[in-house]
Amino acid sequence: MALRVGVIGGGQLARMMIAPAVELGIDIRVLAEDEGMSAQLAATAVGDYRDLDTVRRFAADVDVITFDHEHVPQEVLRALVADGVAVHPGPDALRFAQDKLDMRARLADLGAPQPDWARVADAVELQIFLDAHGGRGVVKTPRGGYDGKGVRVVSAAEEAADWFSALAAGDALLVEELVPFVRELAQQVARRPNGESVSYPVVETVQKGGVCAEVIAPAPGVDAEHLAEAARIGREIAEGLGVTGMLAVELFQTEDGRILVNELAMRPHNSGHWSQDGAVTGQFEQHLRAVADLPLGETTPHEAWSVMINILGGPADAGMLDRVPAALAASPQAKVHTYGKAPRPGRKVGHVNASGSDLDAVLAEARAAAAAFA
Amino acid sequence: MALRVGVIGGGQLARMMIAPAVELGIDIRVLAEDEGMSAQLAATAVGDYRDLDTVRRFAADVDVITFDHEHVPQEVLRALVADGVAVHPGPDALRFAQDKLDMRARLADLGAPQPDWARVADAVELQIFLDAHGGRGVVKTPRGGYDGKGVRVVSAAEEAADWFSALAAGDALLVEELVPFVRELAQQVARRPNGESVSYPVVETVQKGGVCAEVIAPAPGVDAEHLAEAARIGREIAEGLGVTGMLAVELFQTEDGRILVNELAMRPHNSGHWSQDGAVTGQFEQHLRAVADLPLGETTPHEAWSVMINILGGPADAGMLDRVPAALAASPQAKVHTYGKAPRPGRKVGHVNASGSDLDAVLAEARAAAAAFA
């Protein structure tokens, strides 16, 4: 009898849990949104993750529930917990990944370093914040945003007028100061229900158009102090929010050398994909170990440098079939990961990892392979 | 549309192809011998691999056929090839893995270094060989042996009397000289249909009771000359026999420093499991790339030393569920691979890999994790 882990959501994160699940002997089962999703091979149910009956039926046959995304409603999560299901991360943690206002308030309680922010219920409140922060700010819808959606840089309150008018009564938007950052970092932490946690080295993430394009592990030029500080911030948030499984903390590094928390993700995250091939324990294996309350694995990198480059789908009329061989030919060292998705422009359809002792050479390898998909 | 690779046989080798297939975007399908086999997750058919109709039906829906084992009969393989199916390795190569007498004769033609051997049809012929080789020899049934089965060390011809009396008319046994070897090595090679090939560093295999127990990569103390010689032997056999996919060449290193070919396996092999976690491209990924005629991957090890230790099932009344956590706790560095098999004494149910810069420390890590399964 194998340990049964149920994953809600059939996207690429669920897909990439399949490989380590097979090796660890975990019976992985996926509740997919539809037929033919990325995690199809492990899909044992298809249905709406917002529907309690659907989720309950799926959860009845597994030992642990975890997630491909953070969108399962609180009422569904809490019903599972009330049923006695092990849910990791649980609703009390996930709410901070589901609502950016709740997250900012909780991080403030924890004393975590973050940008100035405010809860703004109307244009007047927003304008007051903007005026106090050099006339500009980042407005965010608290819920449902991802990959740059639901995020808008504004220099006047009326630029968020449509979002305000769409708000339900009693709701509000989040506004944050526009942080003068020199680069973005991300810290991965894994935490078990028993509190054991491990950290990965902080990485640099390079965004293009609001989407993560490249990740360099560890972040180049990061000193021992920042390395330790990022790890400490990650551990304190994981502990403070009661996260179980993988936690990704997206960070800003400011011109004056501070590290501020940007966003949280309570699942394997794009910024941790490098670890699949670049570390002793990849984040998908680590996530499974953490949610199944198994001892965590070493996070040491294999090489001095690892690079991850996302593959954004090119023209829809060309499939992946011809591009994978071209990528493998371009770099015998690169590790190609595909998501089983039909390419279309701008869609993440896979990624490439490479590792080695010379960062420029590793970047060249990874880029050569990724270029085959352009 | 993904490339479809069909694997005949549902054992652990097919199982371990699943992880890299998912990542590479290969649609892997398995013809399993039974329900609930190791490769269950990818099983799309259940049936007898000796039955042409069964195999033909399975092969109709895939682009390439490969194998978990070497037991598919020649007539089935040849019918597939006649149907136009891409079969890798093909029947002309596989016959040398299926029949040890054919293998010895072909290696002799190729000039590969091997023990003295003879085809012996009766006890008289066997005794003549024994008399010429110090009174002892290793008698083998040419077909169907594995893990020490079908192999017998004899010092008199009558010790093989039962095998001779079981022989069909015209058949014979293989006898080989008892090689005074100091250790056993194994050389992994991958070869594409287009002839491209890559080699892994030669490893040392430690057998216990005829079963591979531990593998150390690379073989400790092997000098550059032997490293190159083993690689050359591997390449020449792969080329000479027309192997496609992974080839494992089991070797004896003799007291006087010669390297002699012991056995061949035309598939991922136990002696190459270390590469899953210890090399840039693991042998299961490499096998898929080779049989699918994709560019091959780099074989460079991540660390100076890698060790693989087989997990032999302990008492049948204890499952794997409690032992995996104990193994993970024993070594946060070790990578545990399970085969989805119920434990029973002496049965291979998984293996542990570990890598690092200090061989003694790596051995200790791997043994600590493996001991949790005893």
Side-chain angles (χ1 to χ4, degrees), chain B residues 8-292:
Chain B
I8 298 182
Q12 64 255 28
L13 302 182
R15 177 188 179 93
M16 291 188 274
M17 293 178 204
I18 297 173
V22 167
E23 299 307 319
L24 285 173
I26 288 172
D27 179 359
I28 184 169
R29 301 172 182 208
V30 170
L31 171 59
E33 293 82 347
D34 223 325
E35 298 290 345
M37 299 276 296
S38 287
Q40 175 70 26
L41 184 63
T44 56
V46 170
D48 186 346
Y49 58 78
R50 295 163 301 189
D51 179 65
L52 177 56
D53 285 345
T54 299
V55 175
R56 210 170 227 164
R57 236 182 346 260
F58 175 69
D61 288 332
V62 301
D63 299 304
V64 180
I65 284 286
T66 190
F67 309 96
D68 173 72
H69 57 70
E70 291 127 340
H71 308 317
V72 180
Q74 281 287 318
E75 54 274 23
V76 172
L77 299 171
R78 292 188 186 280
L80 292 184
V81 171
D83 289 347
V85 177
V87 177
H88 295 296
D92 288 336
L94 266 174
R95 55 179 283 241
F96 300 111
Q98 293 177 327
D99 189 303
K100 294 187 170 95
L101 276 168
D102 286 355
M103 187 262 289
R104 286 295 176 212
R106 182 75 183 117
L107 291 186
D109 289 346
L110 291 174
Q114 53 180 345
D116 278 353
W117 64 279
R119 181 182 195 281
V120 288
D122 57 37
V124 174
E125 291 182 3
L126 174 54
Q127 194 59 51
I128 291 170
F129 183 92
L130 297 180
D131 292 344
H133 291 85
R136 299 178 75 196
V138 185
V139 182
K140 298 181 177 179
T141 55
R143 294 168 163 274
Y146 65 97
D147 277 357
K149 294 178 185 67
V151 175
R152 199 179 283 172
V153 175
V154 303
S155 36
E158 61 255 35
E159 292 172 48
D162 54 333
W163 284 357
F164 280 121
S165 57
L167 282 180
D171 279 359
L173 298 178
L174 168 65
V175 61
E176 299 171 357
E177 67 169 318
L178 200 62
V179 172
F181 64 86
V182 289
R183 62 175 175 174
E184 294 184 71
L185 307 173
Q187 174 67 51
Q188 257 75 28
V189 184
R191 184 170 174 275
R192 287 175 72 176
N194 76 356
E196 185 197 346
S197 72
V198 293
S199 302
Y200 288 82
V202 70
V203 302
E204 177 171 348
T205 66
V206 181
Q207 317 279 325
K208 288 180 187 163
V211 178
C212 173
E214 287 187 9
V215 171
I216 304 172
V222 75
D223 56 25
E225 189 190 329
H226 281 94
L227 207 69
E229 191 189 347
R232 184 184 53 73
I233 291 170
R235 271 197 314 276
E236 287 181 2
I237 294 175
E239 178 69 31
L241 272 52
V243 179
T244 42
M246 288 297 303
L247 167 70
V249 183
E250 296 183 74
L251 300 159
F252 293 124
Q253 183 175 338
T254 65
E255 286 166 358
D256 55 356
R258 288 176 303 148
I259 288 180
L260 303 176
V261 177
N262 179 19
E263 306 265 357
L264 303 181
M266 295 182 190
R267 49 175 169 76
H269 185 256
N270 203 162
S271 58
H273 288 356
W274 69 273
S275 64
Q276 286 178 297
D277 304 297
V280 170
T281 310
Q283 69 167 349
F284 296 96
E285 177 181 343
Q286 199 76 276
H287 184 73
L288 289 170
R289 289 165 75 151
V291 302

Side-chain angles (χ1 to χ4, degrees), chain A residues 40 42 64 92 97 124 171 260 280 346:
Chain A
Q40 174 71 25
V64 180
D92 288 336
V124 174
D171 280 359
L260 304 176
V280 170

Side-chain angles (χ1 to χ4, degrees), chain A:
Chain A
M1 185 69 172
L3 190 75
R4 299 162 305 173
V5 173
V7 185
I8 298 181
Q12 65 255 29
L13 302 182
R15 177 190 179 92
M16 290 188 275
M17 294 178 204
I18 298 174
V22 168
E23 299 306 320
L24 284 173
I26 288 172
D27 179 358
I28 184 169
R29 299 169 184 214
V30 170
L31 170 60
E33 293 82 347
D34 223 327
E35 298 291 345
M37 298 275 298
S38 287
Q40 174 71 25
L41 184 64
T44 56
V46 170
D48 186 346
Y49 57 79
R50 296 164 299 189
D51 179 64
L52 177 56
D53 285 344
T54 299
V55 175
R56 212 169 225 163
R57 237 183 343 261
F58 176 69
D61 289 331
V62 301
D63 300 304
V64 180
I65 284 286
T66 190
F67 309 95
D68 173 72
H69 57 71
E70 291 127 339
H71 309 316
V72 180
Q74 280 286 318
E75 54 274 22
V76 172
L77 298 172
R78 292 187 186 280
L80 292 184
V81 172
D83 289 348
V85 177
V87 178
H88 295 296
D92 288 336
L94 266 174
R95 55 180 282 244
F96 300 112
Q98 292 177 328
D99 189 303
K100 294 188 171 96
L101 276 168
D102 286 354
M103 187 263 289
R104 286 293 176 214
R106 182 76 183 117
L107 291 187
D109 288 347
L110 291 175
Q114 53 179 345
D116 278 353
W117 65 280
R119 182 181 194 281
V120 288
D122 56 37
V124 174
E125 291 182 2
L126 173 55
Q127 193 60 51
I128 291 170
F129 182 93
L130 297 179
D131 291 345
H133 291 85
R136 299 179 74 197
V138 185
V139 182
K140 298 181 178 181
T141 54
R143 295 168 162 275
Y146 66 97
D147 278 356
K149 295 179 183 68
V151 175
R152 198 179 283 171
V153 176
V154 302
S155 36
E158 62 255 34
E159 292 172 47
D162 54 334
W163 284 357
F164 280 121
S165 58
L167 281 180
D171 280 359
L173 297 178
L174 168 66
V175 60
E176 298 171 355
E177 67 170 316
L178 200 63
V179 172
F181 66 85
V182 288
R183 61 176 175 172
E184 293 184 72
L185 307 173
Q187 174 68 50
Q188 257 75 29
V189 184
R191 185 171 174 276
R192 286 175 72 176
N194 76 355
E196 185 197 347
S197 72
V198 293
S199 303
Y200 288 82
V202 70
V203 302
E204 176 171 349
T205 66
V206 182
Q207 316 280 325
K208 288 181 188 163
V211 177
C212 173
E214 287 188 9
V215 171
I216 304 171
V222 75
D223 57 25
E225 189 190 331
H226 280 93
L227 207 68
E229 190 190 349
R232 184 185 54 74
I233 291 169
R235 271 197 313 276
E236 288 180 3
I237 294 175
E239 179 69 32
L241 274 51
V243 180
T244 42
M246 288 298 304
L247 167 71
V249 183
E250 295 182 76
L251 299 159
F252 294 125
Q253 183 176 338
T254 65
E255 286 166 357
D256 56 358
R258 289 175 304 147
I259 288 180
L260 304 176
V261 176
N262 179 19
E263 306 264 359
L264 303 181
M266 295 184 191
R267 50 175 169 75
H269 185 256
N270 203 162
S271 58
H273 288 356
W274 68 274
S275 64
Q276 286 179 296
D277 304 297
V280 170
T281 310
Q283 69 166 349
F284 296 96
E285 177 182 343
Q286 199 76 277
H287 184 74
L288 289 171
R289 289 165 75 151
V291 302
D293 205 13
L294 296 171
L296 301 178
E298 210 174 273
T299 57
T300 320
H302 288 308
E303 301 279 351
W305 298 106
S306 290
V307 167
M308 189 285 316
I309 302 187
N310 278 324
I311 300 167
L312 299 183
D317 57 349
M320 294 287 278
L321 204 54
D322 296 337
R323 301 184 207 181
V324 170
L328 299 178
S331 167
Q333 199 240 76
K335 309 312 296 174
V336 173
H337 299 267
T338 65
Y339 302 162
K341 292 177 168 179
R344 61 171 188 251
R347 184 186 209 194
K348 281 187 207 172
V349 293
H351 66 272
V352 169
N353 287 332
S355 300
S357 56
D358 180 84
L359 178 55
D360 287 338
V362 173
L363 274 167
E365 288 277 337
R367 285 173 184 162
F373 292 93

